[in-house]
Amino acid sequence: MSTGFFGDIKPIKYEGPDSTNPLAYRFYNPDEVVAGKRMEDHLRFAVAYWHSFAWPGGDPFGGQTFERPWFAETMEGARLKADVAFEMFTLLGAPYYCFHDADVRPEGANFSESAERLDEIVGIFEKKQKETGVKLLWGTANLFSNRRFMAGAATNPDPDVFAYAAATVKKCLDVTQRLKGENYVLWGGREGYETLLNTDLKREREQAGRFLSMVVDYKHRIGFKGAILIEPKPQEPTKHQYDYDVATVYGFLKDFGLENEVKVNIEQGHAILAGHSFEHELALANALGIFGSIDMNRNDYQSGWDTDQFPNNVPEMALAYYHVLEGGGFETGGTNFDAKLRRQSLDPQDLLIAHIGGMDCCARGLKAAARMVEDKALSGPLEERYAGWNSAEAKAMLSGQRKLEDIAERVVKEKIEPRPRSGRQEFLENIVNRYV
Ligand code: XUL
Ligand code: CO
């Protein structure tokens, strides 16, 4: 039985690029085959429970703007929220969703009560997943909203907080497994510091390493098949976060011997906050062999914080999916809309329209990316640029067969004078623009 929250709306359908219906897909056509795979199977869209159903519309200067019938922090509210959430997943035809423990159940009086409440809601999710076919892309623990985590979770100076965080992650991993979640995400929202004056960096880093090692160990012991993903972010809410960007996370994983165990969930807005582009983070994760999943959204380029807007820039999406495809596409990962409405977008329909626009934009990006891959539009010129390295002598330099003095001798003997070649940036930019 419908909750009536979205009114009399039929499931959103693909109507093609010429449709002017705001409640239809113009580019996302789940069954359309792109580069040998259905679009739905490429993109693996997920709706984020927190932004769409738990966030009240507040900002630093004002509180709740959204009025939702489930906003009272009660179990009754949590059950209604679950009903509406699955209604929306179904209306959109979104194959996946993601959630934190705190998004789906009200906090209990103690750890055990919170856990019991989570179990009850997870029981509801289990039933609804079966009924609707919607699946869990990833589960995660909220280790940043409650005041107990104000000085960090795993990196807290208080070992009781470390313990509470460990118990929480164990619980969340258990329910993620129960719901057949395909990944488990750790975003270290408060794993960082406000000031170095009260922070022992070395100690906190060791704590984070121990914590993650225990999570990986537990995952194997319960036979969780999904991937463990770290989501990098450089700052906000803390002044400095330890999982700064993909490169920093990789160094951390190497240090604790976890580089083959943990991958990354890369978010567009976090990449921008770190002073990178989204495609930089994706390309680097591919190069390091730790690409896992993406949190899709958009940051306002004029404001220096994480605005979590819905994506609407097709050329950017095209380059993002280009790297996803070049890396072989998603395995357990997918496209999670870690995006929220603007706080003036009050209507239930706004939730649908935002996701429709985001999904269409990703679909256009994917299609452009697939054609670029197929035509070797960028990989062709790239191969050509590095072709010099195919010679026997060049290979010998890289494989350790030459010493510095051998190379120096050859430069003199063969009178080597490098001749610079154009990097052809504008030529390549024009190629990309032909595809979008
Ligand atoms: C915060 C953020 C989180 C994570 C999950 O910036 O991206 O929502 O995706 O904890
Ligand atoms: Co995110």
Side-chain angles (χ1 to χ4, degrees), residues 111-149:
F111 181 86
S112 301
E113 193 183 22
S114 294
E116 279 159 27
R117 290 175 169 189
L118 181 60
D119 281 332
E120 184 189 324
I121 299 297
V122 166
I124 295 173
F125 286 176
E126 211 171 18
K127 211 166 128 251
K128 286 180 180 295
Q129 285 186 196
K130 228 172 252 148
E131 282 163 16
T132 60
V134 174
K135 294 170 282 182
L136 178 63
L137 186 65
W138 46 264
T140 188
N142 179 326
L143 302 177
F144 43 89
S145 293
N146 192 286
R147 67 193 288 275
R148 76 174 68 87
F149 299 120

Side-chain angles (χ1 to χ4, degrees), residues 240-291:
H240 175 90
Q241 260 153 244
Y242 298 134
D243 301 329
Y244 200 94
D245 58 4
V246 169
T248 310
V249 168
Y250 186 70
F252 171 79
L253 294 177
K254 281 289 259 193
D255 213 5
F256 292 93
L258 297 170
E259 71 274 18
N260 298 319
E261 295 284 357
V262 177
K263 294 186 163 123
V264 283
N265 180 40
I266 302 174
E267 178 164 326
Q268 199 276 0
H270 297 181
I272 304 307
L273 283 181
H276 303 307
S277 63
F278 194 21
E279 62 267 25
H280 165 93
E281 291 288 80
L282 294 164
L284 186 59
N286 275 343
L288 298 170
I290 57 167
F291 174 67

Side-chain angles (χ1 to χ4, degrees), residues 231 267 270 295 338:
E231 184 174 324
E267 178 164 326
H270 297 181
D295 266 12
D338 195 351

Side-chain angles (χ1 to χ4, degrees), residues 143-176:
L143 302 177
F144 43 89
S145 293
N146 192 286
R147 67 193 288 275
R148 76 174 68 87
F149 299 120
M150 70 180 191
T155 63
N156 202 288
D158 178 354
D160 280 353
V161 180
F162 181 97
Y164 200 100
T168 306
V169 170
K170 178 197 174 289
K171 180 73 202 166
C172 289
L173 202 47
D174 287 343
V175 301
T176 300

Side-chain angles (χ1 to χ4, degrees), residues 233 235-236 267-274 297-311 316 338 342:
K233 188 177 181 182
Q235 74 267 332
E236 199 209 6
E267 178 164 326
Q268 199 276 0
H270 297 181
I272 304 307
L273 283 181
N297 57 23
R298 161 172 60 113
N299 266 14
D300 187 293
Y301 287 110
Q302 279 80 52
S303 65
W305 68 89
D306 194 14
T307 57
D308 282 340
Q309 289 164 252
F310 279 86
E316 251 182 34
D338 195 351
R342 297 306 88 195

